[in-house]
Amino acid sequence: MPTYKYEAAYSSGERVNGVVEAVSQSDAVAQIRQSCEVVLSLKEVPRTAVKDPLARFQKISAKSLALTCQQFAIILKAGMPLVQTVDLVAEQCPDRTLSRLLRQVSEDVSNGWSLSYSFTQRGEKTLPATFRETVRAGEESGDLLSAFRRLADYFERMNKTRESVVSALTYPAFVIVVAAGVIGIIMTFAVPTFTSMFESMDIDLPWTTVALIALSHFFQRYSLVLLGVIALALLALQAFRMTDRGGIVLARAQLKIPIIGAIVRMSGASQFAHTMSTLLTAGMPILQAIEVSGRTMTNLCMARDIAATLPGVEGGRGLGECMSYSKELPAMLVQMTAVGEATGSMESTLKVLAEYYDNEVDVRTKRALSLLEPTIIIVLAIFVVFILMAVYLPMFSMYAAI
């Protein structure tokens, strides 16, 4: 919908500036005249004029958003005017990208733009849809304070979930990286030293030694080629993921991976339940809440199933009933959504369900990692034993021949 910037005047002669969204200039004038008697100027705002060309490369963390929403809630509760509130939050924000965006928003609001409209225009690529739409709903209902409180809780939960996963993955990732580095050094520098000694022996080498020497030669000759092939494969996979078909194919494959698939499915259910509960509590219409909640889900296959419920809900059917046709959404999510609809308490039901899935994701992730750590140790132990056998068996054969 086009946006128009206007200058108008009251009957007292006082002038005011602002922006309004309307389907046409005549509709914009009609909206302005509801509060102002005279429209002095009206100009359409080009959408491209407020876009940040680098926005798609900038990411704002859930931790920064949680802190920012908490600051908004505290300052608004103190009764400070909106422009000063945005300025103060921008000064205290540790995230440079978010701080720069908030300064732009402050300028927009001082020029008459609404807060939600400025966030939408300035942060379409950097701010999550949940943030933008919840602020819009809070502004339309006249309760921005509650909207920012709900957003602070929402992003705080998202940040805790992410930090728990990252913390659990740190040790296994560190072990794998160190092990890969040590193995690379052994195969490139240590094994060739033994190879020259074994080749000078007039004995039959065991298969373990032959295999180790072959691996060492491969690493010496083709290590750069191997790295290049891996890099190209990753780039090709990323390019395929960016396509519509590729994103769906990889998302479906992700859900079918043993153990990991269940965690991804529960994580997606948690995202949907958290977002839907937050938006509905903020007063957003259910159709818009479904659309936004679907767009916030990281798994495209599950997001597509949520988006597919829109025509049915718009036609008067229940959300739970429409979700029941999905093969990817957890049965418990579908059933509890239907129960929440039937009892008229969908917001609270989804909030409880989101907390349940958060706990399940945390438990299952820790359980999977508890299995991964001994697996890594066993694999490394097998490789170490293989190297020792490859090095010492020829020596035993040589001593036996003396």
Side-chain angles (χ1 to χ4, degrees), residues 36 58 84 86-87 93 156 193 233 250 252 254 275-276 311 330 358 366 369:
C36 301
Q58 301 167 341
Q84 296 180 20
V86 180
D87 281 334
C93 182
E156 184 65 28
T193 304
L250 294 178
R252 185 179 294 111
Q254 190 181 43
T275 307
M276 193 74 176
D358 281 344
K366 290 180 179 178
L369 291 173

Side-chain angles (χ1 to χ4, degrees), residues 106-128:
S106 174
E107 183 179 349
D108 292 341
V109 174
S110 64
N111 289 331
W113 293 29
S114 67
L115 182 64
S116 61
Y117 179 78
S118 181
F119 274 135
T120 300
Q121 294 296 302
R122 298 291 186 181
E124 184 176 1
K125 299 294 184 181
T126 53
L127 293 173

Side-chain angles (χ1 to χ4, degrees), residues 183-196 199 209-227:
I183 290 171
I185 293 173
I186 291 174
M187 299 301 292
T188 306
F189 299 102
V191 174
T193 304
F194 292 100
T195 301
S196 59
E199 289 176 347
T209 307
V210 173
L212 185 64
I213 293 173
L215 284 174
S216 176
H217 287 164
F218 177 83
F219 273 96
Q220 285 180 300
R221 296 175 182 176
Y222 303 109
S223 57
L224 294 179
V225 176
L226 181 62
L227 291 175

Side-chain angles (χ1 to χ4, degrees), residues 265-274 276 297 302 305-306 319-321 323-324 326 328-341 346 349-354 356-357:
R265 197 182 305 276
M266 291 185 176
S267 178
S270 170
Q271 288 176 329
F272 172 79
H274 272 307
M276 193 74 176
M297 300 176 73
M302 298 179 69
D305 287 354
I306 292 296
L319 175 59
E321 178 187 353
M323 291 170 63
S324 65
S326 169
E328 306 298 348
L329 298 176
M332 185 175 181
L333 175 66
V334 176
Q335 294 168 2
M336 293 302 294
T337 301
V339 170
E341 276 186 307
M346 185 183 292
T349 301
L350 288 175
K351 184 176 181 180
V352 172
L353 193 61
Y356 164 78
Y357 278 121

